[in-house]
Amino acid sequence: MARKSLVAANWKMHKTISEAVKFVEELQKLVESLDDREVLIVPPFTALHAVGNALNRGDFFLGAQNCFWEEKGAYTGEISPVMLKDVGCSYVLVGHSERRNIFGETDEMISKKVKALLRAGLSPVLCVGEKLEEREAGQTFQVVERQLKEGLLDIDVQSLAKIVIAYEPVWAIGTGKTASPAQAQEVHTFIRSTIEKISGDKSVAEGLRILYGGSVKPDNVDELMKEPDIDGLLVGGASLEVSSFKRIIEYR
Ligand code: PEP
């Protein structure tokens, strides 16, 4: 089954509102219309509304970097999935390694976020990936399997079809070290087979989009995207400049 790829810009804690709007206005003019791929812009919360208003193409979508799992209430500083839906998001990142490692997010918290997003009608982009010491200890599959099973606990098959997975080896994020296409492909195949096991449904696993993230750049994107199970990219550093992100969107 042909999967439409998804190329996502995770801006992390970068860009003011005016910088963010200028970026998307410029990018949308420069990128030719896309039929086999979609673009996801994931700005900081403060720029969501303005970027959402500036997006004017059917192949560009808005996403958020994080959320809380409750709908509303006394949770100072948090943002709910309902609010993200209201501001125009279609996707929300969950369990990014910076959330796990700097802010102490556990698989249990991530699972609550995934469920809350699905309840609000949003697509979670569940990020998984091993640390360097885990890879060196031969635990990559074990770690990724645990993150998938616990992050997707009790999710029904229909909802699983709305989820996107991002494989982001922690040792490759922001380090300049990319997983080789073969290393990434190996884990992507493993993720697809794990989703087949979890869902008991081959077509859900076949339709699942699995993004690769970790130091994706204009000069390594083409090789990565040739792999059959890499269905898109989650890009940090190289998504902050229009010219490099445009080249990544236009992988060939
Ligand atoms: C990320 O933050 O998801 C990421 C992959 O960052 P970078 O591209 O900078 O490694």
Side-chain angles (χ1 to χ4, degrees):
M1 184 204 301
R3 295 179 289 268
K4 207 171 224 196
S5 71
L6 183 66
V7 184
N10 173 18
W11 287 347
K12 312 190 183 193
M13 201 170 70
H14 291 284
K15 296 198 189 291
T16 60
I17 295 172
S18 60
E19 288 165 349
V21 168
K22 186 166 174 272
F23 182 108
V24 290
E25 284 175 352
E26 239 176 276
L27 183 69
Q28 290 177 113
K29 277 190 211 138
L30 292 172
V31 173
E32 287 188 13
S33 112
L34 309 163
D35 358 286
D36 63 340
R37 58 196 81 177
E38 295 173 339
V39 177
L40 175 62
I41 305 290
V42 188
F45 287 134
T46 46
L48 280 172
H49 188 249
V51 169
N53 284 342
L55 291 180
N56 54 21
R57 297 176 47 152
D59 45 6
F60 275 59
F61 296 85
L62 184 68
Q65 299 176 16
N66 182 32
C67 69
F68 190 50
W69 54 79
E70 295 291 345
E71 227 174 82
K72 58 182 164 187
Y75 304 105
T76 302
E78 294 296 328
I79 303 281
S80 76
V82 173
M83 292 167 176
L84 295 175
K85 174 104 180 159
D86 185 46
V87 79
C89 289
S90 310
Y91 296 87
V92 179
L93 307 186
V94 191
H96 189 281
S97 68
E98 287 151 17
R99 300 296 319 167
R100 292 178 190 261
N101 299 324
I102 304 174
F103 300 99
E105 283 191 12
T106 61
D107 287 316
E108 196 187 340
M109 291 158 81
I110 290 162
S111 147
K112 287 187 188 172
K113 293 183 181 198
V114 168
K115 289 196 181 89
L117 287 167
L118 291 166
R119 271 199 305 276
L122 289 162
S123 284
V125 179
L126 173 63
C127 304
V128 298
E130 80 288 1
K131 295 182 184 158
L132 182 60
E133 60 270 28
E134 293 165 335
R135 174 160 283 262
E136 286 174 347
Q139 294 167 348
T140 299
F141 288 169
Q142 204 181 313
V143 169
V144 168
E145 183 172 29
R146 189 206 71 227
Q147 291 171 336
L148 289 172
K149 284 196 171 151
E150 295 186 14
L152 300 174
L153 195 69
D154 298 330
I155 304 291
D156 61 70
V157 183
Q158 269 176 325
S159 302
L160 278 176
K162 297 191 188 116
I163 288 171
V164 175
I165 305 290
Y167 170 56
E168 298 209 300
V170 181
W171 48 271
I173 298 182
T175 58
K177 284 187 207 154
T178 324
S180 69
Q183 279 174 322
Q185 168 63 22
E186 185 187 31
V187 182
H188 282 226
T189 313
F190 174 77
I191 291 172
R192 204 175 298 290
S193 66
T194 305
I195 295 294
E196 187 177 337
K197 263 195 255 160
I198 293 176
S199 65
D201 187 324
K202 199 172 170 62
S203 68
V204 166
E206 277 173 2
L208 178 78
R209 289 190 291 181
I210 309 173
L211 317 185
Y212 168 76
S215 298
V216 174
K217 303 270 181 288
D219 62 8
N220 58 27
V221 66
D222 298 340
E223 291 312 307
L224 285 162
M225 286 306 297
K226 285 196 177 94
E227 295 295 336
D229 287 289
I230 301 185
D231 310 310
L233 306 151
L234 182 51
V235 189
S239 73
L240 293 170
E241 295 294 330
V242 171
S243 60
S244 67
F245 190 52
K246 172 183 184 285
R247 174 62 184 86
I248 290 171
I249 294 170
E250 292 171 342
Y251 69 82
R252 38 197 184 240

